[in-house]
Amino acid sequence: MIARYFPGPVAAGVLLTALYTLLISSADGITKMFAASYAAPQLFALSGGVVAVLSLVANRQGGTLRGMRTTCPVAMAIRVLATVAGTVAFFYAFRLLPFAEVFLFIAMIPLFAALMSGPVLGEAVRPQVWVALALGAVGVMCLFPEGVTSVGPGHLVALAAVVLGTVSMVASRYIGQRDDNLLAQVFYPNLALMVTMGAVLPFVFEPMALADLGWALAYAVLLFGARWVLVAALKMLPAFVVTPLMNLQFLWMVGIGIAIFGEVPGGMVFLGAAIIICAGAWLVYDQVMAVRREIPVKPRVMPAE
């Protein structure tokens, strides 16, 4: 049904991004659980290895394993470094801040993406986009449940995580425009995560209960699905359109925060989320109209009587 009103790639990109928000929010919930009791390497050494293996298994073509070669080694290296550092930063942001405040910083990603998309990707950012991003910034300010009173270590860590995460996403978009081997973008960052976290793990390891091990494996599966879906979405839509849509993650985070952690956001939090989601919808509409202007309308051929 959605394909009747939106161009195919745009519709697919929107749906994939929405699915990504559900998967990544579930993974974030597990991250917050782990952050309360374990150090980052305890979760990421295992999950990085599992995701890397799943990437190899899934990357089949014609019944045989497809290689993980990439045509953009420099951009891939940038994505790997940004992903590893950003993942660790987000881990400690979840330890130091409530879910709603972490989302505040996640919602800033479109602003950074818009700044990077022009010089890095050569994607024109029209005035409508900047208006939508400004509207999103207004919504972001509402997401402080008790107002902006001070800046603590958690806020600085979350800001660093967002900058690094945006670099990773823009690099993904750059690679996706030039290389159709999508799972290579999932494989290499998680392989690097496994290696780096594995090197630190002996110094911070604590025995894990069987249930916690199960949660770690569930995290790996959710993360694999989320990153695969996100790479596919970034191949279909510009980064500054995908990233505002990711603000749908707020709805899942509110539900998880209430059900699991007992965090009930105030009314201003929901108001801010509504403003940001509207700004994201505006960007999607702007992208749809741009695609339609670029695609000539072919005359309909009437069937012979």
Side-chain angles (χ1 to χ4, degrees):
M1 179 64 70
I2 190 172
R4 293 176 56 189
Y5 303 99
F6 296 96
V10 174
V14 170
L15 292 175
L16 286 173
T17 305
L19 176 59
Y20 164 81
T21 63
L22 174 59
L23 295 173
I24 200 63
S25 296
S26 301
D28 286 344
I30 296 175
T31 300
K32 189 170 180 63
M33 291 171 57
F34 259 79
S37 305
Y38 301 101
Q42 192 117 359
L43 175 61
F44 298 134
L46 174 63
S47 64
V50 171
V51 173
V53 170
L54 288 175
S55 300
L56 287 173
V57 172
N59 203 24
R60 290 176 174 273
Q61 193 173 56
T64 60
L65 287 177
R66 186 183 182 190
M68 286 295 180
R69 300 180 66 179
T70 177
T71 59
C72 306
V74 175
M76 185 66 77
I78 293 173
R79 173 168 165 78
V80 166
L81 292 173
T83 299
V84 171
T87 298
V88 175
F90 269 119
F91 180 90
Y92 288 104
F94 281 118
R95 171 180 286 184
L96 297 169
L97 297 175
F99 246 19
E101 290 194 22
V102 175
F103 177 80
L104 163 69
F105 290 92
I106 293 174
M108 293 173 64
I109 290 179
L111 302 176
F112 292 107
L115 292 173
M116 294 180 190
S117 291
V120 176
L121 303 176
E123 296 176 343
V125 182
R126 296 192 300 279
Q128 300 94 315
V129 175
W130 289 109
V131 173
L133 293 174
L135 183 62
V138 173
V140 165
M141 299 309 298
C142 297
L143 291 178
F144 279 115
E146 298 177 358
V148 184
T149 58
S150 62
V151 176
H155 301 107
L156 296 177
V157 171
L159 180 61
V162 165
V163 173
L164 290 164
T166 306
V167 170
S168 176
M169 290 177 188
V170 174
S172 175
R173 172 72 174 167
Y174 179 90
I175 297 168
Q177 292 175 334
R178 295 160 175 81
D179 191 345
D180 64 351
N181 193 3
L182 300 183
L183 277 170
Q185 294 195 51
V186 181
F187 172 74
Y188 287 112
N190 282 282
L191 179 64
L193 197 61
M194 179 193 71
V195 172
T196 54
M197 295 296 102
V200 180
L201 183 59
F203 302 99
V204 298
F205 180 80
E206 294 183 11
M208 294 175 62
L210 186 60
D212 289 339
L213 180 60
W215 282 116
L217 292 173
Y219 169 84
V221 173
L222 289 169
L223 187 65
F224 169 74
R227 287 186 172 168
W228 190 1
V229 165
L230 180 60
V231 167
L234 286 167
K235 188 175 178 65
M236 297 177 182
L237 291 176
F240 64 78
V241 174
V242 171
T243 47
L245 284 174
M246 289 166 57
N247 289 322
L248 291 171
Q249 184 177 348
F250 174 75
L251 301 178
W252 307 116
M253 293 178 78
V254 167
I256 293 172
I258 293 173
I260 306 299
F261 305 108
E263 298 174 355
V264 181
M268 289 298 292
V269 176
F270 288 99
L271 174 62
I275 294 173
I276 290 176
I277 291 172
C278 288
W282 188 6
L283 286 185
V284 173
Y285 176 79
D286 180 70
Q287 175 68 11
V288 169
M289 293 299 101
V291 171
R292 285 185 171 177
R293 284 192 294 269
E294 293 173 1
I295 300 176
V297 178
K298 295 181 180 180
R300 296 181 62 184
V301 179
M302 300 300 295
E305 295 183 359

